[in-house]
Amino acid sequence: MRLQLCFVPLLAAVWLTLNASPSVGGDSNADRLPRSSPESQGISSEAILEFVNAADQQVDQMHSFMLVRHGRVVAEGWWAPEAADKPHILWSLSKSFTSMAVGLAVEEGKLSIDDKVLSFFPDEAPDDPSANLKAMTVRDLLTMATGHDPIPHMEPDDQWVEKFLATPVVKQPGSDFLYSTPGTFMLSAIVQKVTGETVNDYLKPRLFTPLGIKDPRWDKNPQGITIGGYGLYICTEDIAAFGQFLLQGGKWNGKQLVPEEWVAKATSLQIDNPDGPHSGNADWRQGYGFQFWQCRHNAFRGDGRDGQICLVLPEHDAVIAITAKTSQMQLQLDLIWKHLLPAFKDSPLPEDKTSHARLKSKLKMLRVKSAE
């Protein structure tokens, strides 16, 4: 799956509910994402039930699922013993948040994506840096095109910035996609260098607090730098709120939190990746943005190891948040394309109390498979 710099144990798993009432959803913040019935937002309870059944039966271990349509939560759930108020590790979905930190630092004039990486770390640079290393820019870090092959490998006792810069850059930066968690760490290190704050602290007043994300935990490396490429823990609804914020072009409650231009660039095609990771899976060969994957069906996503997904479907005004512990990430997306994508309608549907009741009944019985 994805390269990780250290191992962080996953949390246990969860209880699933779905309800049209704004008061349901554990620690969900109904003010930030109001609740409504699926039919009122143009999607049938029956289609959601088909998706839940398929995911429960076919995916190794689902932990949570939340569907937002037209800014309203129409389905939400947690496989027991998971819960709405339990933060979940995001693994590489953390990268998409790091992208927002870079965009904010650019807006504040603290850096440019065309700045050379070496310019931020004169004391950590090798004595005789190669021409390729000298050419590497922030943009190359954002697009996973640093020119490394293989990518740097960090050990806990390493000085991570020095190790990254000492690793041979064998290709022209910007020429080839190669997925690099260490590259995202360097973005985090650059933001910390130019702002004097870790990415976690920098984002709290600018993004996390406005989105209602309470007490986000984000692990640091041995030198005290937010890891950036993984290590962030937040709740399922926090993921969904982040997706809705992206869908709204970086705006939340009428305020532009991150420049719309940055969100548009970050979530759109910046580099092709026909030979990228998971090359046998269609949704990993659609191209890459600034720490976001492109998908089929004109969608985009942030994702992470073991099935953490923030999927945004602009054409359908929808966001899907999933946490899990599975290697079947393409299957997760395939089930969305099969069951949910065709069910999005342009107008509200007649309320279907029978199907809604069946859906609720099914969701109450869901449990993580390993916990049975």
Side-chain angles (χ1 to χ4, degrees), residues 187-199 223-226:
L187 291 171
S188 176
I190 289 170
V191 170
Q192 185 162 332
K193 191 85 168 184
V194 301
T195 67
E197 297 179 279
T198 65
V199 163
Q223 288 80 52
I225 302 170
T226 298

Side-chain angles (χ1 to χ4, degrees), residues 100-285:
M100 295 299 105
V102 175
L104 285 165
V106 169
E107 181 195 25
E108 293 174 4
K110 298 183 182 300
L111 63 94
S112 162
I113 63 172
D114 295 319
D115 288 341
K116 300 295 192 290
V117 173
L118 275 180
S119 70
F120 299 101
F121 306 105
D123 296 335
E124 292 88 351
D127 292 336
D128 186 20
S130 68
N132 282 345
L133 177 57
K134 290 179 181 178
M136 188 191 302
T137 65
V138 173
R139 182 190 298 271
D140 299 324
L141 298 176
L142 286 163
T143 59
M144 303 287 186
T146 62
H148 289 114
D149 193 3
I151 63 173
H153 177 72
M154 315 301 200
E155 297 291 345
D157 294 336
D158 289 335
Q159 296 289 326
W160 287 16
V161 171
E162 290 183 12
K163 183 70 173 287
F164 182 93
L165 298 176
T167 303
V169 183
V170 299
K171 298 180 181 179
Q172 177 69 29
S175 60
D176 291 300
F177 177 92
L178 183 62
Y179 193 83
S180 175
T181 293
T184 311
F185 164 75
M186 291 298 289
L187 291 171
S188 176
I190 289 170
V191 170
Q192 185 162 332
K193 191 85 168 184
V194 301
T195 67
E197 297 179 279
T198 65
V199 163
N200 194 21
D201 288 341
Y202 182 65
L203 284 180
K204 282 179 182 177
R206 294 167 174 84
L207 183 67
F208 290 140
T209 298
L211 290 183
I213 300 175
K214 302 175 181 177
D215 301 320
R217 169 189 163 190
W218 205 333
D219 294 337
K220 299 177 183 178
N221 85 327
Q223 288 80 52
I225 302 170
T226 298
I227 292 173
Y230 67 96
L232 178 61
Y233 294 75
I234 57 176
C235 298
T236 306
E237 186 168 345
D238 299 332
I239 299 171
F242 180 61
Q244 186 64 30
F245 147 86
L246 296 168
L247 184 60
Q248 295 168 179
K251 185 177 290 186
W252 192 258
N253 287 338
K255 182 180 180 181
Q256 196 72 45
L257 301 182
V258 176
E260 184 176 8
E261 181 182 3
W262 180 264
V263 173
K265 286 182 177 179
T267 60
S268 61
L269 178 66
Q270 297 294 333
I271 189 169
D272 291 322
N273 64 338
D275 301 316
H278 308 276
S279 58
N281 297 334
D283 286 297
W284 274 262
R285 291 183 284 114

Side-chain angles (χ1 to χ4, degrees), residues 35-71:
R35 269 62 178 170
S36 68
S37 69
E39 282 75 17
S40 70
Q41 303 305 317
I43 186 167
S44 70
S45 295
E46 187 65 30
I48 299 172
L49 177 59
E50 290 175 357
F51 169 80
V52 172
N53 278 330
D56 186 44
Q57 294 166 11
Q58 299 178 43
V59 178
D60 291 339
Q61 191 178 109
M62 289 283 286
H63 286 180
S64 70
F65 159 68
M66 183 173 285
L67 171 59
V68 182
R69 185 93 199 277
H70 304 322

Side-chain angles (χ1 to χ4, degrees), residues 79-99:
W79 274 251
E82 281 289 341
D85 59 352
K86 285 187 179 180
H88 199 287
I89 188 169
L90 300 194
W91 291 112
S92 288
L93 176 51
S94 308
K95 292 176 170 66
S96 299
F97 290 85
T98 300
S99 175

